């Protein structure tokens, strides 16, 4: 007697059962795996997922040396801003330029494109 012919439905059902069995076996293997192996895999995944760190500008200081003096440019700039705001209370500083003239032991500043001989800081 000849063997009964297998239908497509029977073959598909058998394949699904085999796939389910393989998945269950893998799940059991993961459950039985030591904890140390799980921890080793996690840092590798995290390392790959890290975003590149944005580069920041380095901390910078400009020091002007002349005639035995050391002048920190940031300090002179702060003095110029304070001097301007004391005499121009209602004006917002949008731009400020600082010019250090060593021969005169002075720094001149220009605010918002406005210059004046009065805009002077003695060093």
């Amino acid at each position: 007697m000849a063997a009964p012919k297998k239908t497509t439905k029977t073959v598909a059902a058998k394949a699904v059962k085999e796939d389910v069995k393989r998945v269950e076996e893998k799940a059991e293997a993961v459950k039985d795996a030591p904890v140390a192996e799980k921890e080793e895999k996690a840092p590798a995944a995290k390392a790959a997922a890290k975003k590149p760190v944005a580069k920041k500008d380095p901390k910078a200081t400009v020091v002007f040396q002349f005639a035995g003096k050391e002048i920190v440019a940031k300090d002179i700039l702060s003095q110029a801003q304070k001097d301007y705001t004391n005499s121009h209370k209602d004006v917002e500083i949008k731009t400020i330029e600082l010019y250090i003239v060593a021969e005169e032991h002075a720094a001149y500043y220009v605010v918002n494109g406005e210059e004046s001989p009065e805009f002077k800081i003695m060093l």
Side-chain angles (χ1 to χ4, degrees):
M1 189 170 186
K5 214 175 190 184
K6 294 183 181 179
T7 64
T8 308
K9 189 175 183 181
T10 308
V11 173
K14 186 176 180 181
V16 169
K17 286 180 183 178
E18 289 174 2
D19 286 345
V20 169
K21 186 176 180 181
R22 273 189 249 125
V23 169
E24 288 174 347
E25 288 172 356
K26 286 183 181 181
E28 283 298 317
V30 170
K31 284 182 187 177
D32 295 338
V35 175
E37 285 183 13
K38 289 181 184 177
E39 289 177 1
E40 287 178 18
K41 291 179 184 177
K46 287 182 183 177
K50 284 186 180 178
K51 293 181 181 178
V53 178
K55 292 185 179 183
K56 297 179 183 177
D57 289 335
K59 182 178 177 183
T61 302
V62 178
V63 179
F64 189 70
Q65 295 179 333
F66 70 99
K69 295 181 179 182
E70 281 194 1
I71 308 295
V72 178
K74 185 177 180 180
D75 295 342
I76 300 302
L77 184 61
S78 294
Q79 286 180 355
Q81 288 173 324
K82 191 181 295 184
D83 187 55
Y84 185 82
T85 53
N86 285 341
S87 60
H88 298 81
K89 296 192 187 292
D90 296 333
V91 180
E92 176 186 1
I93 298 176
K94 294 180 183 175
T95 62
I96 185 166
E97 300 168 35
L98 185 66
Y99 298 89
I100 298 174
V101 183
E103 297 84 22
E104 296 180 24
H105 296 271
Y108 295 91
Y109 57 93
V110 177
V111 177
N112 301 334
E114 178 187 350
E115 58 183 82
S116 170
E118 297 170 2
F119 298 166
K120 180 179 179 179
I121 304 290
M122 295 306 297
L123 305 176

